[in-house]
Amino acid sequence: MGWLGRRGRRGRGCGRIGWGCWLLLLLGLLAWGPGEALADETGGGADAHEGGASPVQSASGELVSPPGAEAHAAGEPGAAGESHGGGHRDLGAELPLWTVIPFVGILLSIALGPLLAPRWWHHQFPKVSAFWALLFAIPFLIAFRGAALHEILHIYLVDYIPFIILLLALFTASGGILLRGTPAGTPRVNLLILLIGTLMASWIGTTGAAMLLIRPLLRANAKRRSRVHIVVFFIFLVANIGGSLTPLGDPPLFLGFLHHVPFFWTFNLFPHMAVMVVCLLAIFFVWDTLLYNREKRDLPETPYEPLSLEGGHNFLFLAGVLGGVLLSGTWRPGGVNVLGVHMGLQNIARDLILLSMAGLSLLTTRRQTRIDNEFTWFPIKEVAYLFAGIFMTIIPALAILRAGEQGELAWLLESVRTPAHYFWVTGGLSSFLDNAPTYLTFFNSELGRFCPGMSEVEAVARLCTEYAVYLKAVAAGAVFMGANTYIGNAPNFMVRSIAEEGGVPMPSFFGYMIRFSLPVLVPLFVLVTWVFFR
């Protein structure tokens, strides 16, 4: 069937239309001109947090030093790139709460489209994503002109494009690794695969571990009737909770590393992760054993095939991806302006390294290996289209949150006081918003609350020691609760798409929550709160 496969070929038409919609949007944005964005960017100035000492952020996550605080050193990174010079208009203080309607609309479309009209959704989801993006972008640009254009360009250049490049590199390299002779999917084998993936996720990223192991897991269980729970627990453990131990594991922790949280500080999350992992593996093993015993008499005998690895050289490209990511967090060569958006040279270098790793993987891996691995481009295309709309429509939600007491969600931020509050509010928002900027929002909220008037380096050092329980709560909430929904973390979407291509009838958006995350994960989060965040 080739690399694209039957489903991939079916989606080509909608892919051309979808890219056409996004190209029109890009041309419309560029028609406004980057100069106008810079002109409006300095108008209005952002108000500092109360007391004028704590850092504030732009809608797309950029850190800006307010008056009275010690400014960042030259080249200091913002949320995902370099901070601008000059002032920054605080759009979050001006945006009404109803501007999040397009964001709610795209979430509901993702939830209900595959459930109510699966065939239509499969062909039309790129246009649906573009529709919601344009519904927000056009009035936003008319109302705020250059300042709005700057926010849109910033979130795409600094956040979305690097996000997709990272996923593409991990997806391509891991898709070239084929494990032949996968053993039969007994409960013990499945438990072992989940455990290995969970341990790998902190070191090659949740995306890398998920893309590496989801296909062998599906092949091992190809003859079983009950497979949905296996994929769901894979999402829980490998695509989310397993990435808790290092900044390489999950994007929120990497942002903390960029903001001077020590690389190995995240090992402090090991007890929290251990509780979740042990409980989930125990639940899974009992669940899987009961279903396996019910159907094993009907399972055909699986002939023994010795295990062998093909395409193992792609592990070098995965290492190159991680090296590029780590480089961007430690190297400070300065920055350049691209369409009025200040971008760190280290981030541009990282993206070029990642694209090189993806290209080398394609060039050096046998085509037959990818065919045998059932590799298709559809999962990464689905993520790219849908998250293009999500990143656009998420702008007002993040801006209002980051406006603090000047925004319409000031009541929510003011109510967050205890470690338990930070854990649940950060986690709850991370279930539906991008967990990386949500983490950064409450990370900076803690800096302003507990370390006012200090430079960021000093403030983070104090937060990591004297107020470590609060930072643990934010980090654990962002990483753990990304498993609550399909959109909580990008690998969730990709795993679901690959599983559906493999014939697994995955639950709908709400079905996933009602059948699995609410009854399984939420009680465990209550346990984590009682043990660690009382």
Side-chain angles (χ1 to χ4, degrees), residues 133-457:
L134 290 168
L135 186 65
F136 166 73
I138 292 173
F140 186 50
L141 286 165
I142 292 173
F144 295 101
R145 299 180 66 80
L149 176 59
H150 177 268
E151 291 295 342
I152 293 172
L153 290 175
H154 187 280
I155 203 166
Y156 279 101
L157 292 176
V158 178
D159 295 325
Y160 173 74
I161 292 176
F163 165 80
I164 291 298
I165 288 175
L166 175 61
L167 293 182
L168 174 66
L170 292 169
F171 180 77
T172 304
S174 60
I177 301 172
L178 172 61
L179 181 64
R180 294 191 183 275
T182 306
T186 64
R188 290 185 179 181
V189 168
N190 291 334
L191 186 72
L192 181 61
I193 294 175
L194 291 182
L195 179 60
I196 292 172
T198 301
L199 296 176
M200 292 177 65
S202 286
W203 301 100
I204 66 171
T206 52
T207 300
M211 295 302 100
L212 183 64
L213 292 175
I214 182 58
R215 293 183 180 92
L217 182 68
L218 291 174
R219 285 196 294 271
N221 292 276
K223 297 178 181 178
R224 290 189 53 178
R225 294 193 306 271
S226 304
R227 293 177 289 170
V228 172
H229 69 287
I230 300 172
V231 179
V232 169
F233 276 84
F234 185 90
I235 291 174
F236 289 170
L237 289 159
V238 182
N240 290 275
I241 295 167
S244 306
L245 293 186
T246 76
L248 300 176
D250 219 33
L253 304 182
F254 182 67
L255 288 185
F257 172 60
L258 291 182
H259 284 278
H260 310 293
V261 176
F263 186 88
F264 291 104
W265 181 90
T266 46
F267 269 61
N268 288 295
L269 294 177
F270 177 77
H272 312 68
M273 172 183 164
V275 168
M276 291 294 301
V277 169
V278 169
C279 291
L280 283 172
L281 287 177
I283 294 170
F284 169 79
F285 187 72
V286 173
W287 192 328
D288 198 40
T289 299
L290 292 174
L291 292 176
Y292 181 79
N293 289 338
R294 184 184 304 170
E295 62 186 58
K296 68 180 180 180
R297 279 176 287 182
D298 300 327
L299 291 175
E301 288 290 331
T302 303
Y304 172 74
E305 296 181 40
L307 294 177
S308 63
L309 190 68
E310 192 172 312
H313 68 282
N314 282 283
F315 282 109
L316 295 176
F317 302 134
L318 287 174
V321 170
L322 299 180
V325 170
L326 195 56
L327 175 70
S328 68
T330 56
W331 182 42
R332 294 288 181 271
V336 294
N337 282 329
V338 179
L339 297 176
V341 176
H342 196 71
M343 300 182 66
L345 289 174
Q346 73 275 13
N347 296 327
I348 296 174
R350 175 200 62 210
D351 294 342
L352 292 175
I353 291 171
L354 268 54
L355 288 173
S356 299
M357 295 300 102
L360 288 171
S361 175
L362 286 174
L363 288 173
T364 61
T365 304
R366 292 175 57 244
R367 187 170 183 265
Q368 189 61 42
T369 299
R370 293 189 184 273
I371 293 174
D372 293 345
N373 207 19
E374 301 177 5
F375 178 88
T376 76
W377 293 108
F378 184 83
I380 191 68
K381 288 168 61 179
E382 183 176 31
V383 169
Y385 286 133
L386 293 178
F387 274 82
I390 289 172
F391 270 72
M392 175 69 80
T393 57
I394 205 175
I395 289 174
L398 295 178
I400 292 170
L401 279 173
R402 291 189 177 110
E405 62 184 21
Q406 280 77 43
E408 292 200 9
L409 289 176
W411 59 271
L412 176 63
L413 296 176
E414 280 298 313
S415 66
V416 179
R417 292 291 176 182
T418 68
H421 292 162
Y422 278 105
F423 177 67
W424 282 96
V425 174
T426 303
L429 292 174
S430 294
S431 300
F432 298 95
L433 307 179
D434 186 6
N435 62 357
T438 303
Y439 165 90
L440 204 58
T441 296
F442 290 97
F443 171 80
N444 278 283
S445 172
E446 291 178 345
L447 291 182
R449 176 166 294 167
F450 301 122
C451 314
M454 304 173 68
S455 69
E456 187 178 51
V457 174

Side-chain angles (χ1 to χ4, degrees), residues 1-21 119-127 367 371 375-379 381-382 385 501:
M1 292 194 298
W3 286 15
L4 284 173
R6 178 170 57 87
R7 184 172 183 176
R9 286 197 299 269
R10 225 172 40 221
R12 282 181 180 174
C14 74
R16 286 194 293 268
I17 295 172
W19 283 121
C21 293
R119 182 178 294 274
W120 179 88
W121 173 259
H122 176 74
H123 288 282
Q124 307 298 335
F125 70 85
K127 290 189 284 187
R367 187 170 183 265
I371 293 174
F375 178 88
T376 76
W377 293 108
F378 184 83
K381 288 168 61 179
E382 183 176 31
Y385 286 133
E501 283 192 319

